[in-house]
């Protein structure tokens, strides 16, 4: 109960501060939902009107205001299909008031400003100089306005048709005139005022205000969830920021980019062309990346370029913010967002493939493309939205929010971390750029006034490092040793203490357990059928019998069976050299094979099978946390482990502390980074018997 009272008092406190400092720029979000359901007008238009008419706590005033807004929308909002009807009414009445999106251009030939009406379909309507000078957003993509229009028909006093014709030639201008124009979006944003008024709020209060402004109720969310929802806003406040979010359905991944921001566009279905996205060579016009602050792709699985070079141009753009088409290079500042659904659980995805699996194959396996992702939001940590997750409280008018975010794109705060921290040596140039952009973005969202403590900055830095490390972990999985340096850290400039940042979902993925396993259990690391290196487990049983050898888990794969037969035949020929207690005639053996990561069974099974058979026959378990590498032939020749560095990296990722390694592989150790080797106790063997003894800890 006490907690409830505290929450209620905090909400009242925030509301009072918003009233005092941002009056006319806030709106009750439940009113938006109420009217939005029945009116197909942009949210930012609706909220501006509600902010004007319903800025009160009095239910009566609010109800009157809502009715006013509904009436204004019903009478004045121009629907494109009713444009001609409106023009007819304007002609017959002589004047009419409309709500429409107005864009103004300077006609240099005539030396005057001309307005264009989006839904009404009118162009080149003269407009007084005072309006574009006063409301500069009219010149920058246009804004929604209430416009009072008049219609002045030709003077009907002309009797002679010839004179009428001459008059028309003299006056080619439109009979439609703009009498009065009132913006119903923010005509301009005073960013200095915002920074000044931000000082009245604490960090927690401001975070709650930002979340309520995008329609979420922070009181129903954990702190971690608040940070993740805030991260979705980074592409709106940072130029050329590449973000990816994959997770379950109904977590609102695309909602922000479709409904909340008038400066972002959602490409649904994923079908697009280079001309549409980047540059149309025929028309000589820049595509979506030049027109919007943020281009979001919904359902990444369906992304499909009709042009073969589409992904290459996208890679170029994501890395540099520019692209080459024809003879010239074009630059743009739009951020790229990729959202989609994960169909399996994260644990399964981590073990079987990568977290980029939902992407189309040409993107999801292209490490050069994925390395350009600055941030990966773990969508599976965000709750599925229910009605209580949406706020009924006050937040910024969407248009005001979008505009000050847009203004903040002009500022750079990536160097904020240099004052207190510097980044660890495992971050390469791309990692550093990504982390700096995220730090800069979070600073702009939470501390636009530039006032923050060391502790507050550290909190941002940890989140930023984690979001980038998630990308790097998956790259390591797909690209092997090229991306081995994933141990991201930051160093305190005062104490020189180095702190490492981990990724939560990687923590429990250790497949090679700690402690002594049952006799007959062996773990091996090798390349699976899919081409990726994975972990495989062998489990054995021994029964009284006549020397039969059964295998489970291999299906009909002949190469795998041949490798296991090699092991059993070698044991039959050489069991006395290992132990006199091993019988291959009076016992039956069963070995079960498990592909722990779903990569397709490996064919490198002869040596692991031999160790598993000896372990169960002698009743001795293998030593703790051991991974077996290498292979033997039917005659007992030792074969070295391929791709040693990548294989050792997989051993490390899956919990191995000791590695059984063939002697011929010792020559490849110079290809392995020394920090990677330092994580293991390497145990070399010279023969199959030597491998068995060392695996079982028998000297």
């Amino acid at each position: 109960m006490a907690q409830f009272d505290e929450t209620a008092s905090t909400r009242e406190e925030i509301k009072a501060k918003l009233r005092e400092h941002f009056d006319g720029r806030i709106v009750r979000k439940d009113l938006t939902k109420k009217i939005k359901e029945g009116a197909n007008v942009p949210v930012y238009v609706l909220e501006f009107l509600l902010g004007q008419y319903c800025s009160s706590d009095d239910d009566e005033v609010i109800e009157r205001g809502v009715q006013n807004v509904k009436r204004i929308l019903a009478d004045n909002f121009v629907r494109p299909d009713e444009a001609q009807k409106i023009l007819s009414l304007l002609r017959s009445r002589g004047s009419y008031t409309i709500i429409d999106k107005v864009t103004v251009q300077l006609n240099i030939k005539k030396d005057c400003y001309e307005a264009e009406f989006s839904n009404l379909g009118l162009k080149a309507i003269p407009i007084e100089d005072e309006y574009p000078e006063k409301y500069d957003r009219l010149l920058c993509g246009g804004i929604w306005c209430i416009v009072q229009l008049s219609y002045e028909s030709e003077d009907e006093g002309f009797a002679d048709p010839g004179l009428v014709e001459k008059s028309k030639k003299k006056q080619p201008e439109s009979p439609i005139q703009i009498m009065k124009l009132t913006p119903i979006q923010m005509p301009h944003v005073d960013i200095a005022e915002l920074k000044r008024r931000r000082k009245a709020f604490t960090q927690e209060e401001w975070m709650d205000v930002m979340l309520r402004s995008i329609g979420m109720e922070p009181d129903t969310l954990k702190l971690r969830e608040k940070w993740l929802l805030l991260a979705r806003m980074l592409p709106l406040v940072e130029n050329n920021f590449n973000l990816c979010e994959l997770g379950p359905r109904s977590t609102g991944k695309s909602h922000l980019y479709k409904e909340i921001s008038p400066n972002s566009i959602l490409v649904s279905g994923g079908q697009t062309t280079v001309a549409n996205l980047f540059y149309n060579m025929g028309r000589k016009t820049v595509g979506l990346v030049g027109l919007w602050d943020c281009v979001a792709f919904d359902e990444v699985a369906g992304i499909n370029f009709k042009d073969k070079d589409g992904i290459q141009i996208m890679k170029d753009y994501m890395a540099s913010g520019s692209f080459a088409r024809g003879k010239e290079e074009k630059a743009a500042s739009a951020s790229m967002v990729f959202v989609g659904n994960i169909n399996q659980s994260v644990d399964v995805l981590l073990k079987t493939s990568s977290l980029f699996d939902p992407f189309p194959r040409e993107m999801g396996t292209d490490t050069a493309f994925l390395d350009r992702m600055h941030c990966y939001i773990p969508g599976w940590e965000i709750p599925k939205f229910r009605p209580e997750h949406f706020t009924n409280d006050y937040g910024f008018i969407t248009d005001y929010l979008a505009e000050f975010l847009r203004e903040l794109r002009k500022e750079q705060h990536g160097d904020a971390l240099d004052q207190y921290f510097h980044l660890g040596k495992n971050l390469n140039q791309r990692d550093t750029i990504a982390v700096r952009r995220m730090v800069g973005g979070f600073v702009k969202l939470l501390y636009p006034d530039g006032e923050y403590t060391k502790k507050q900055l550290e909190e941002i830095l940890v989140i930023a490092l984690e979001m980038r490390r998630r990308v790097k972990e998956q790259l390591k999985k797909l690209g092997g040793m090229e991306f081995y340096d994933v141990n991201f850290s930051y160093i305190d400039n005062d104490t020189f203490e180095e702190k490492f940042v981990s990724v939560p979902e990687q923590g429990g993925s250790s497949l090679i357990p700690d402690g002594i396993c049952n006799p007959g259990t062996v773990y091996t690391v090798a390349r699976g059928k899919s081409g990726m290196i994975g972990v495989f487990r062998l489990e054995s049983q021994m029964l009284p019998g006549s020397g039969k050898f059964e295998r489970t888990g291999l299906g009909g794969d002949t190469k795998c069976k041949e490798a296991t037969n090699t092991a059993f035949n070698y044991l039959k020929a050489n069991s006395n050299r290992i132990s006199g207690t091993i019988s291959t005639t009076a016992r039956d053996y069963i070995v079960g094979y498990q592909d722990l990561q779903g990569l397709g069974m490996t064919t490198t099974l002869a040596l692991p099978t031999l160790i598993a058979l000896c372990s169960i026959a002698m009743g001795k378990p293998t030593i703790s946390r051991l991974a077996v590498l290498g292979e033997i032939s039917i005659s007992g020749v030792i074969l070295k482990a391929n791709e040693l560095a990548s294989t050792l990296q997989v051993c490390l990722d899956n919990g191995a502390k000791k590695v059984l390694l063939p002697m011929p592989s010792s020559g490849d150790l110079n290809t392995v980074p020394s920090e990677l080797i330092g994580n293991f106790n390497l145990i070399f063997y010279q023969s199959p018997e030597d491998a068995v003894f060392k695996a079982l800890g028998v000297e």
Side-chain angles (χ1 to χ4, degrees), residues 17 64 143 161 194 204 270 439 514 536 551 590 594 698:
K17 286 183 181 180
R64 264 202 319 272
I143 51 175
L194 171 89
E204 289 81 10
V439 168
D514 199 2
F536 304 88
R551 294 139 302 193
I590 304 166
Q594 283 179 280
V698 179

Side-chain angles (χ1 to χ4, degrees), residues 19 23-37 39 41-56 61-73 184 394-395 397-398:
R19 282 275 170 79
D23 196 37
R25 296 179 180 87
I26 56 172
V27 69
R28 232 175 72 189
K29 294 291 175 173
D30 60 325
L31 300 177
T32 309
K33 282 186 286 187
K34 219 179 269 181
I35 302 180
K36 176 68 181 163
E37 285 162 8
V41 293
V43 171
Y44 38 94
V45 172
L46 199 53
E47 289 196 348
F48 189 91
L49 291 170
L50 288 168
Q52 300 299 307
Y53 290 97
C54 306
S55 186
S56 170
V61 173
I62 288 173
E63 187 53 38
R64 264 202 319 272
V66 168
Q67 294 308 320
N68 272 338
V69 171
K70 283 182 175 176
R71 194 189 70 256
I72 290 167
L73 289 173
I184 51 173
Y394 283 88
I397 293 168
T398 304

Side-chain angles (χ1 to χ4, degrees), residues 233-252:
M233 298 168 74
L234 290 172
L236 300 174
V237 81
E238 276 290 306
N239 292 321
N240 300 110
F241 187 81
N242 308 319
L243 178 141
C244 167
E245 181 181 350
L246 302 176
R249 291 160 181 80
S250 305
T251 55

